[in-house]
Amino acid sequence: MILLGQIEALLERYNLLNNEKKVIIAVSGGVDSIVLLHLMQSIASHKRPKLIVAHINHELRPESVKEEKFVRTLSKQYDVSFYSYTWEKSKHPKSGIEEAARTVRYRFLKELMDKENADVVMTAHHQDDQVETILMKLTRGSTLEQMTGIKSEQSFHKGRLIRPLLSFSKESIYRYAESEALNYMEDQSNHSLDYTRNRFRNRIIPLLKEENPQFNQHMTQFKLDLEDLLAIASSTIHQEFDEFV
């Protein structure tokens, strides 16, 4: 399996193929995070790190309770630790709900990292998320560095935040879930045009793909080219700075 092989290669690079390591996986119950959890669970037991499932109930939809129960049950079946946090509806802001929800998620993950003394947090962001993010940055206006989109890995709290599925398309993730007969929860709010990301996902990007079916791949290459350019520019800037300042 290509996905599993790449996951293991990534873990080996970060010295995580070790029973003594602890990895927190953010699992919403959607296909992306369920596939990530299944891939991690599929690693041979003698080298699999200890897995910890983190679930956030945002109380944004009626299905939130069912999703939490589903992830809790799956964690029990896999025999992995499960933690959940409920973001009570009474604490939701009147505006900026997406950014506030993101803040709540990462705060919970940091607290759990401390509690479990974990080495790494993993999220299930994928290639389509990356493309959406870059397009939104281009549309709103941003710095060149921010236009490189989502990082595949970065420092996070006292460890690392890794996104193992970032190079894989949503379509390939669905195919994997089908091939392994995985059950998952579909978030119907992903189709709502009330959210900016959904308008890009469901309206703008499909039109761009009609113009060029390889649009995702071209955007991914744009990100890589921009990162290379910024790395060269940064080196030159530091050299000039050291010389003249």
Side-chain angles (χ1 to χ4, degrees), residues 1-11 31-32 35-36 38-40 42-43 126 164-177 179-180 182:
M1 293 181 286
I2 296 175
L3 277 170
L4 181 57
Q6 291 215 9
I7 290 286
E8 290 200 0
L10 182 70
L11 292 178
V31 63
D32 315 319
V35 163
L36 177 57
H38 183 268
L39 285 165
M40 292 295 292
S42 299
I43 295 170
H126 49 79
L165 302 182
L166 202 55
S167 63
F168 294 97
S169 68
K170 183 84 169 188
E171 183 182 356
S172 67
I173 291 170
Y174 272 124
R175 284 200 304 268
Y176 179 88
S179 68
E180 297 295 319
L182 300 180

Side-chain angles (χ1 to χ4, degrees), residues 61-85:
R61 295 170 291 107
E63 297 83 10
S64 295
V65 175
K66 289 183 179 179
E67 289 168 347
E68 181 176 347
K69 183 179 179 181
F70 170 71
V71 177
R72 185 188 298 273
T73 301
L74 184 61
S75 300
K76 188 175 181 179
Q77 290 173 0
Y78 283 159
D79 193 27
V80 299
S81 301
F82 171 84
Y83 291 91
S84 66
Y85 175 79

